[in-house]
Amino acid sequence: MKKLLMVLAFAGVSAASFGQSDVPTEKYSVATNSFWSNWFVQVGAQWNAWYSGQEHGTNLSSSPIKDFRNNPGFGVAVGKWFTPGLGIRTKFQGIWGKRVGVTDADHKDQANNGNKYWLLQEHIMFNVSNILFGYNENRVWNVIPFVGGGVGRSMSSNFYSMGLSAGIQSSWRLSNKFRVYAEAGYNRYEGDIDGFDQYYGNRGWDSHDNNLYVELGLNIGLGKSTWNKTPDVDAINAQHQAALDGLNSRLRDAEAENARLRNELANPKVVETVPETVKELIATPISVFFNIDKTNIASEKDLVNVRAIAKFAKENDRKLLVTGYADSATGTAERNQWLSEERARVVAGKLVEMGIPEGNITTVGKGGVEILSPISFDRRATVQITD
């Protein structure tokens, strides 16, 4: 018996070590799921061995593979994971066992009778893979010890009994909904679960009946079977701050433009050459700003100077280059490239509405960049005359 328990313990430790051979992943907190999420059903086939309280002193072999000890069985369980590391289940198991004991006072005749029984137990389950190494929905092998207790009945003799149980389960991922599991467990029950009355025969020093079992089965997930990462508050605050910086920048630009226009209205000048403002339009790219991860223009005020350069280009048959940008601090490279190209196309569409022929407009997407400070200013498209 002791040797068997040592073998089971060694197998559990080996399984735990092997189960963590997955590629390490970053640990992170997970959000609590609804009550209806992370339920599961387990259905498995068993092979069980019995060690009766009546057999002490009879020198019967303790090997679990002896015919007088073992029989097949099955197990069905329903449970729920409340966190990636902690869950509970209600398990029903049976239904064929063996009575192991003696039939007379001289302990000469070994009883080798079948015993129909069932056990109904509540287990607390610990996913040590998630507890020790962090949650990973793609982990192939999880190791799950469990402890609990419940009630059992010998249907052959109509005896009831209370008991405790413990074991270890290893499960292999097939998909988010399906897993194959292997389980080894130990049940220790009072008195009569093997069908022998506790007042019958010589029970020796131990009045408990013991059951060892191994089980192989299928775990089926019900409802949502994964856990979402909790929002990164610091990242969200950083995005909000970047958006606020962009709004403040546009506000300062608008105030400066208004001041310039007021000054021009207050001090009109008659010039015979090209105005300085037009020269600036020709030489300097005009910026149109966008909000984070958006392709619609943040403010129509940004189009004031665009209309001016469009008017000049139209009257002088000049060509325009529209260059789109995204900031490199947020988003993936693929997303930022798409954003930059789409922003350039949006501004080009505005130029067409202003009367510029499509053939006179070239659009380019530069992807995510870090040119301006703060970097949120890089969420823009620029318009400039090319010839």
Side-chain angles (χ1 to χ4, degrees):
M1 182 68 174
K2 291 183 179 179
K3 292 181 179 179
L4 176 62
L5 294 177
M6 291 176 64
V7 170
L8 290 175
F10 178 78
V13 173
S14 300
S17 300
F18 187 80
Q20 306 313 323
S21 62
D22 306 291
V23 176
T25 57
E26 178 187 358
K27 293 183 181 181
Y28 56 80
S29 300
V30 296
T32 301
N33 287 340
S34 70
F35 175 79
W36 303 110
S37 299
N38 302 101
W39 286 84
F40 61 87
V41 174
Q42 295 177 333
V43 180
Q46 293 183 353
W47 195 260
N48 61 84
W50 285 92
Y51 295 83
S52 173
Q54 285 85 5
E55 69 178 271
H56 292 289
T58 61
N59 296 319
L60 296 177
S61 172
S62 62
S63 172
I65 64 174
K66 292 296 183 179
D67 289 340
F68 68 86
R69 289 197 184 281
N70 61 62
N71 243 8
F74 71 91
V76 178
V78 177
K80 173 178 171 58
W81 290 102
F82 293 95
T83 72
L86 180 65
I88 62 170
R89 71 174 180 180
T90 301
K91 184 178 179 71
F92 175 90
Q93 67 184 93
I95 192 169
W96 305 282
K98 288 290 180 69
R99 300 177 178 181
V100 183
V102 294
T103 57
D104 62 12
D106 294 329
H107 303 168
K108 293 180 179 179
D109 299 322
Q110 175 183 307
N112 186 13
N113 302 314
N115 173 45
K116 292 184 178 180
Y117 75 100
W118 56 257
L119 305 177
L120 186 64
Q121 303 173 102
E122 196 70 17
H123 290 149
I124 302 175
M125 308 179 73
F126 305 92
N127 189 322
V128 296
S129 302
N130 288 335
I131 292 173
L132 298 180
F133 299 93
Y135 170 67
N136 176 10
E137 68 179 69
N138 296 316
R139 179 175 285 117
V140 175
W141 195 348
N142 286 308
V143 179
I144 307 168
F146 59 88
V147 294
V151 62
R153 177 184 177 227
S154 168
M155 293 182 290
S156 300
S157 303
N158 198 28
F159 294 150
Y160 287 87
S161 180
M162 303 294 292
L164 301 175
S165 60
I168 187 168
Q169 180 184 107
S170 291
S171 66
W172 293 264
R173 180 181 185 273
L174 303 178
S175 68
N176 283 341
K177 294 291 185 181
F178 296 96
R179 307 184 72 91
V180 173
Y181 72 89
E183 180 175 312
Y186 168 58
N187 300 309
R188 179 179 176 84
Y189 271 74
E190 298 288 342
D192 313 324
I193 192 62
D194 66 349
F196 282 103
D197 188 346
Q198 62 179 334
Y199 299 110
Y200 171 82
N202 178 14
R203 303 187 64 85
W205 56 270
D206 188 357
S207 63
H208 296 86
D209 294 323
N210 304 280
N211 167 245
L212 296 176
Y213 71 91
V214 291
E215 179 177 328
L216 182 65
L218 181 65
N219 185 104
I220 305 169
L222 303 178
K224 181 178 174 62
S225 298
T226 57
W227 302 84
N228 294 332
K229 184 176 180 180
T230 55
D232 189 334
V233 177
D234 291 338
I236 293 175
N237 289 337
Q239 290 181 351
H240 289 171
Q241 185 60 49
L244 182 60
D245 292 341
L247 290 174
N248 289 333
S249 175
R250 287 192 290 274
L251 179 60
R252 289 192 297 269
D253 290 345
E255 291 174 347
E257 179 66 14
N258 289 337
R260 184 185 66 79
L261 293 174
R262 285 194 299 269
N263 182 65
E264 289 184 358
L265 290 174
N267 302 284
K269 294 180 180 180
V270 179
V271 294
E272 297 179 357
T273 59
V274 178
E276 291 297 324
T277 54
V278 175
K279 292 181 180 180
E280 292 177 2
L281 289 176
I282 297 173
T284 306
I286 302 301
S287 292
V288 178
F289 293 96
F290 296 79
N291 288 327
I292 185 171
D293 201 39
K294 301 296 183 182
T295 59
N296 54 303
I297 297 173
S299 174
E300 291 294 321
K301 293 180 181 179
D302 290 350
L303 298 178
V304 172
N305 288 337
V306 173
R307 290 190 180 92
I309 198 171
K311 182 175 182 296
F312 178 85
K314 183 178 178 182
E315 292 175 350
N316 295 274
D317 193 26
R318 306 290 290 273
K319 294 185 178 181
L320 297 173
L321 172 64
V322 183
T323 306
Y325 301 90
D327 72 274
S328 61
T330 58
T332 63
E334 292 79 7
R335 178 69 177 178
N336 287 337
Q337 182 63 38
W338 178 85
L339 280 173
S340 66
E341 294 172 358
E342 192 64 19
R343 287 167 177 173
R345 283 193 287 269
V346 168
V347 174
K350 294 293 184 180
L351 290 171
V352 172
E353 294 176 5
M354 296 174 188
I356 304 298
E358 290 186 9
N360 287 355
I361 304 172
T362 301
T363 61
V364 177
K366 294 292 187 179
V369 299
E370 186 176 358
I371 299 174
L372 304 179
S373 180
I375 197 171
S376 57
F377 291 177
D378 286 319
R379 302 172 194 137
R380 60 172 180 155
T382 61
V383 182
Q384 65 186 109
I385 294 176
T386 59
D387 62 1

